[in-house]
Amino acid sequence: MEIKFSFEEREIQKSVRKFVKNDLLPICREVDETGFLPDRVRDRLLSMGLLRVSFPEAWGGVGGTFTGLVIALKQLSYATLVPAWMLFENFMLAYPLLTYGSDALKSAYLGPLLSLERIGAFAFTEADTGSDPIQLKTTAQKVSGGWLINGSKRFITHSSICDHLILFAKTGDSVSAFLVQSDREGYRAGKRESFIHARGFDNGDLYLEDYMAPDTHLIGRVGQGFDILLRTETLGKIAFCALFVGIAERALDLAVTYASTRCHRGKPIGARFQMTQVKLARMLTKTEAMKAYLFHVCALVDQGKDVFMEAAALKLFVAGEIKEITSDAMEIHGAYGLSMEYDIAGLYQKAISAQVVMGSLDIQRVIVAKGALSLLP
Ligand SMILES: Cc1cc2nc3c(=O)[nH]c(=O)nc-3n(C[C@H](O)[C@H](O)[C@H](O)COP(=O)(O)OP(=O)(O)OC[C@H]3O[C@@H](n4cnc5c(N)ncnc54)[C@H](O)[C@@H]3O)c2cc1C
């Protein structure tokens, strides 16, 4: 299926595809395992300036489209999630800074975030909730000259390696968003998680102990945190889905290669067994549908449309399909599919995370159903 991209978007696609083939695919297992890119590859990624794509020139971007960024994320995650996740986390801080931050915050923080020289993070989830802002326990108390923040966060990607993060805290009855710096007194990273889908990832607890955020580090207005959260997560969900479309394309390619080379009675299983063909056909159809849906929603974003419901529907769709696509690919590989020697096992593990990260599926169902019933505000 052909999706109509602009000249600039096609150029991004071409250059990232080349980077993936030459630099990432040969080392993708090692990168998945450690969570880090070798310096040479990291430098190359930084030199491509991919996160600049969807940000305005006035703030260090190149004034391209959101579609352009999503193309890059999809291509990168064909090989490994690590570089895509670097871009994604920085986006989750850079976007609310651009949209709600003061000019002073933008000029101080956006440049190094967009160039990936600084590492960003997004801290909403706490031990008791990753879904409900009302239940947040971290508080920001107004004091002379700023805000005293106390509490803890859980499952925060880049909690121990980030330089800056956006952190959501209760300000009385409402929620507000703050720019937090990890090198300031009162910030402490805690226990690190080890997930089945991403062993090398930096993700864990963080603690705020009398952390003093100056007044100038409030992002948006007091009480605007919920709006900032929803708007950032809406684009975040779309960017997040791009990672799984990349994984789907890889799973399909691996399955096709395996089905074309594994022989039974002298004939490749793809040619010999109709049941293998059924799985390949199902995988291809679902992958193409995911891709079309992803770039349809991206096009709406670039047209300035509100995509709150569409982003939830996309996540619902992608999270369901990717599980089946990777499961089919694994089944085609027989016992080799379960072996960590083959890349397909890693893709199957990564697929599971689509249903939890960036909002549970039940919440997406609620949003979509409310949209269908015209009950969204
Ligand atoms: C790899 C990974 C990386 C992550 N990175 C980050 C990060 O960088 N920053 C961050 O802030 N968080 C991060 N998270 C946390 C993640 O976003 C949350 O785990 C997720 O939003 C779910 O929250 P929870 O685990 O608290 O589940 P809960 O909110 O406790 O939900 C539990 C169950 O109840 C259901 N439920 C909850 N509320 C409702 C409702 N209103 N209606 C219907 N059903 C409901 C859910 O669907 C789910 O099935 C990460 C998680 C993982 C696994």
Side-chain angles (χ1 to χ4, degrees), residues 19 52 60 68 84 104 112 119 132 162 182 206 261 295 326 344-345 353 367:
F19 172 63
R52 292 204 176 101
I119 299 176
D132 182 6
C162 68
S182 64
L206 66 89
T261 50
F295 287 111
T326 51
I344 189 61
S353 67
I367 295 171

Side-chain angles (χ1 to χ4, degrees), residues 319-339:
E321 300 303 304
I322 190 64
K323 267 202 308 190
E324 293 184 16
I325 290 168
T326 51
S327 170
D328 273 346
M330 203 170 198
E331 214 179 319
I332 288 174
H333 280 73
Y336 296 98
L338 294 174
S339 163

Side-chain angles (χ1 to χ4, degrees), residues 196-216:
I196 52 168
H197 69 285
R199 280 179 300 282
F201 265 38
D202 184 81
N203 181 297
D205 290 350
L206 66 89
Y207 300 95
L208 288 307
E209 292 151 337
D210 284 342
Y211 177 96
M212 176 72 178
D215 282 325
T216 50

Side-chain angles (χ1 to χ4, degrees), residues 44-329:
R44 174 103 182 79
L45 176 73
L46 264 59
S47 74
M48 294 170 84
L50 295 172
L51 190 53
R52 292 204 176 101
V53 168
S54 65
F55 284 78
E57 288 176 47
W59 297 108
V62 296
T65 57
F66 182 65
T67 299
L69 172 65
V70 167
I71 289 171
L73 291 171
K74 177 180 84 64
Q75 297 295 140
L76 290 170
S77 46
Y78 183 88
T80 160
L81 289 184
V82 173
W85 213 287
M86 282 166 70
L87 265 77
F88 174 73
E89 286 298 329
N90 277 25
F91 176 82
M92 293 297 285
L93 170 57
Y95 174 75
L97 273 181
L98 174 76
T99 313
Y100 298 92
S102 63
D103 283 0
L105 278 181
K106 283 192 263 224
S107 55
Y109 293 97
L110 270 182
L113 281 171
L114 297 188
S115 64
L116 302 182
E117 276 148 338
R118 292 274 183 277
I119 299 176
F122 179 91
F124 170 75
T125 303
E126 299 187 355
D128 290 341
T129 185
S131 312
D132 182 6
I134 307 264
Q135 295 186 65
L136 288 187
K137 293 208 172 93
T138 298
T139 57
Q141 192 196 344
K142 185 75 192 85
V143 292
S144 165
W147 297 84
L148 207 55
I149 306 181
N150 279 289
S152 63
K153 296 283 173 183
R154 176 152 294 169
F155 296 132
I156 305 306
T157 305
H158 294 167
S159 58
S160 70
I161 59 169
C162 68
D163 298 290
H164 321 301
L165 45 141
I166 180 169
L167 181 130
F168 297 87
K170 276 294 201 43
T171 39
D173 288 339
S174 64
V175 175
S176 301
F178 297 89
L179 185 283
V180 163
Q181 292 171 287
S182 64
D183 61 355
R184 279 175 93 104
E185 212 174 306
Y187 180 97
R188 183 164 62 83
K191 180 175 78 80
R192 196 173 154 159
E193 294 294 335
S194 175
F195 293 112
I196 52 168
H197 69 285
R199 280 179 300 282
F201 265 38
D202 184 81
N203 181 297
D205 290 350
L206 66 89
Y207 300 95
L208 288 307
E209 292 151 337
D210 284 342
Y211 177 96
M212 176 72 178
D215 282 325
T216 50
H217 285 192
L218 176 71
I219 302 175
R221 296 187 308 275
V222 176
Q224 209 179 5
F226 189 52
D227 288 348
I228 297 175
L229 177 75
L230 289 190
R231 201 157 156 193
T232 306
E233 283 202 333
T234 295
L235 290 198
K237 271 177 217 172
I238 304 167
F240 182 69
C241 285
L243 312 187
F244 296 92
V245 180
I247 289 174
E249 290 182 328
R250 179 86 185 286
L252 177 61
D253 285 351
L254 290 176
V256 167
T257 303
Y258 193 83
S260 309
T261 50
R262 172 76 167 173
C263 292
H264 273 223
R265 299 191 185 183
K267 207 170 169 189
I269 57 170
R272 175 170 288 283
F273 300 128
Q274 280 188 355
M275 293 305 274
T276 302
Q277 292 172 0
V278 167
K279 290 187 197 76
L280 288 174
R282 192 160 53 203
M283 288 175 69
L284 187 142
T285 312
K286 286 171 184 277
T287 302
E288 290 297 306
M290 274 165 63
K291 214 186 317 179
Y293 200 0
L294 173 70
F295 287 111
H296 163 67
V297 180
C298 287
L300 295 179
V301 172
D302 287 325
Q303 288 160 25
K305 303 254 167 68
D306 174 7
V307 292
F308 181 60
M309 187 196 78
E310 287 78 2
L314 175 70
K315 185 171 186 237
L316 208 46
F317 182 65
V318 166
E321 300 303 304
I322 190 64
K323 267 202 308 190
E324 293 184 16
I325 290 168
T326 51
S327 170
D328 273 346

Side-chain angles (χ1 to χ4, degrees), residues 8-17 50 53 68 71-72:
E8 290 78 13
E9 289 162 351
R10 284 199 307 277
E11 287 299 302
I12 293 168
Q13 190 176 36
K14 239 194 285 172
S15 62
V16 182
R17 201 173 266 161
L50 295 172
V53 168
I71 289 171

